[in-house]
Amino acid sequence: MKRILNPNCKKVRGSHVLAVSCAHCKTFIAHYQKVGESNFVKMYNERIIDGAVDFSQYHGAIFCPNCNERIATRYMTKMDKKEAYRLVPSAFHKRKVTV
Ligand SMILES: [Zn+2]
């Protein structure tokens, strides 16, 4: 599995790590530092640890590198004006992992 480190990643205290994968073909997409137990609807760029996609660059959308399914769409959060990706609800699987 190809993993490209995200140089924008900041360590988030008290977070747990989710492995996000494509719902269609199970291909690994990214490791993400999630805070709290709220619904997983977005990924802040700075909380993405690494991924199959190069997150040092901003993408208009995140596509599965294997089957090209759209996983998430780039947007700017309203509250804190941060680079983030809004996840397509049915396009991904997530599970807690330890890295
Ligand atoms: Zn896929």
Side-chain angles (χ1 to χ4, degrees):
M1 145 174 110
K2 193 175 72 161
R3 284 172 55 173
I4 306 164
L5 278 174
N6 178 13
N8 307 316
C9 181
K10 295 176 190 155
K11 208 161 179 59
V12 183
R13 204 173 287 185
S15 64
H16 56 270
V17 176
L18 294 177
V20 182
S21 58
C22 173
H24 283 258
C25 69
K26 314 277 188 288
T27 293
F28 167 76
I29 304 294
H31 283 127
Y32 183 74
Q33 301 177 93
K34 174 86 174 70
V35 178
E37 298 298 327
S38 57
N39 282 344
F40 184 48
V41 292
K42 65 172 181 287
M43 296 193 292
Y44 287 107
N45 184 280
E46 66 183 26
R47 291 190 193 167
I48 298 168
I49 300 165
D50 59 17
V53 178
D54 183 2
F55 286 102
S56 68
Q57 293 167 38
Y58 296 119
H59 306 274
I62 301 300
F63 294 95
C64 173
N66 184 51
C67 72
N68 263 340
E69 197 68 25
R70 188 160 55 95
I71 308 295
T73 309
R74 181 183 173 188
Y75 77 114
M76 189 74 77
T77 61
K78 273 209 176 78
M79 294 286 280
D80 42 13
K81 299 266 183 288
K82 280 182 177 174
E83 282 286 344
Y85 294 99
R86 191 188 308 279
L87 291 153
V88 178
S90 57
F92 70 94
H93 286 158
K94 66 170 190 331
R95 65 187 169 85
K96 265 190 197 187
V97 292
T98 45
V99 271

